[in-house]
Amino acid sequence: MPVKLEVGEDEIIVPETVTAEQIMARYEEIKVSDVEYAEDINKENLAGLLVLNCSYMEPAEFKTLVNEHFGNVDELLRCFQTYVQYLINDNGIYGKDCSSVLSEKLFFDEYLVNQAEQLHYLFEMYHTDVENSKEYYDILVDFIYRDENEYLTFDCNDERLEGSGLASLQYITANLIVEDFIEYDTDLYVTGVGAEAVNKIRDIVYEHTNQ
């Protein structure tokens, strides 16, 4: 597992401002062309870029990009949902032969990149190490729900690094393990942690747009 970046209990991490120019430069790096549905894939990956980083952008710049490429926030969030859906390929493997760019390649802040890399490792082990998959499942659920995270630098509600970055990773994680909620955590499934995650990221995006 990638070594986590250490953060003091009272240390607040404030990512540097991400500009529209940085967003579009990264977008040009990850764009695809000679594949089927390239236009849709590119739009979904741009949605990932904008949602993951919206808290670290100037609201006016964020709103301009949303209006230019999506028309409105609802369309942005619809494309983001599809981005998350396609992070898993048909065999259930995260990040292999999938059309969505991995979240660690969409962040700019080193702490968020590191957190996403840690989650990537856990996702991969969860899907491939069948004998120990329940152990990895528990770590992921601790991150998104139980606030008992021991393995990652931050849990999803960590006030040391607030904003759309951790909220997006919570949403991604909830979607990647939702099928096993029924088997392992019926009560968790019933309480709708996935819905909780999507409402959280939706509120952040709308709040940022309206600033």
Side-chain angles (χ1 to χ4, degrees), residues 4 13 31 41-42 57 61 63 65 69 86 96 100 104 116 125 144 151 158 164 168 175 177 186 189 194 199 206:
K4 66 181 181 181
I13 304 300
K31 277 179 70 172
I41 291 170
N42 289 330
M57 298 180 65
E61 290 196 355
K63 189 172 183 178
L65 290 180
H69 295 278
Y86 288 121
K96 293 185 178 179
S100 295
E104 56 260 44
M125 297 304 294
I144 64 172
Y151 296 91
D158 202 319
S164 60
S168 298
N175 276 269
I177 64 176
T186 303
Y189 180 77
N199 288 336
Y206 269 103

Side-chain angles (χ1 to χ4, degrees), residues 71-164:
N72 55 64
V73 173
D74 287 333
E75 176 65 9
L76 169 70
L77 289 168
R78 186 194 68 77
C79 290
F80 177 65
Q81 185 175 9
T82 306
Y83 161 80
V84 173
Q85 177 183 344
Y86 288 121
L87 274 172
I88 314 176
N89 72 8
D90 292 338
N91 296 316
I93 305 300
Y94 174 84
K96 293 185 178 179
D97 302 321
C98 61
S99 60
S100 295
V101 174
L102 294 172
S103 53
E104 56 260 44
K105 295 183 179 180
L106 301 184
F107 283 125
F108 295 84
D109 177 76
E110 63 175 337
Y111 288 93
L112 288 166
V113 171
N114 181 249
Q115 183 86 356
E117 288 174 343
Q118 293 174 62
L119 285 166
H120 182 176
Y121 172 84
L122 292 170
F123 293 146
E124 185 169 349
M125 297 304 294
Y126 167 63
H127 285 296
T128 59
D129 186 356
V130 177
E131 184 177 346
N132 299 301
S133 63
K134 178 59 165 61
E135 295 179 21
Y136 293 105
Y137 167 87
D138 286 337
I139 295 171
L140 293 168
V141 171
D142 286 347
F143 163 67
I144 64 172
Y145 185 73
R146 297 190 179 120
D147 293 331
E148 299 171 352
N149 169 39
E150 298 178 11
Y151 296 91
L152 295 112
T153 303
F154 305 98
D155 63 49
C156 67
N157 296 311
D158 202 319
E159 295 181 354
R160 295 173 300 172
L161 178 59
E162 297 179 316
S164 60

Side-chain angles (χ1 to χ4, degrees), residues 27-77:
Y27 176 57
E28 290 299 322
E29 292 174 6
I30 63 176
K31 277 179 70 172
V32 297
S33 55
D34 298 328
V35 298
E36 192 174 8
Y37 305 115
E39 184 176 349
D40 292 336
I41 291 170
N42 289 330
K43 190 172 183 179
E44 290 149 11
N45 284 324
L46 178 58
L49 255 175
L50 285 170
V51 172
L52 268 62
N53 292 290
C54 76
S55 293
Y56 321 116
M57 298 180 65
E58 292 295 335
E61 290 196 355
F62 173 74
K63 189 172 183 178
T64 296
L65 290 180
V66 170
N67 291 339
E68 180 179 348
H69 295 278
F70 299 92
N72 55 64
V73 173
D74 287 333
E75 176 65 9
L76 169 70
L77 289 168

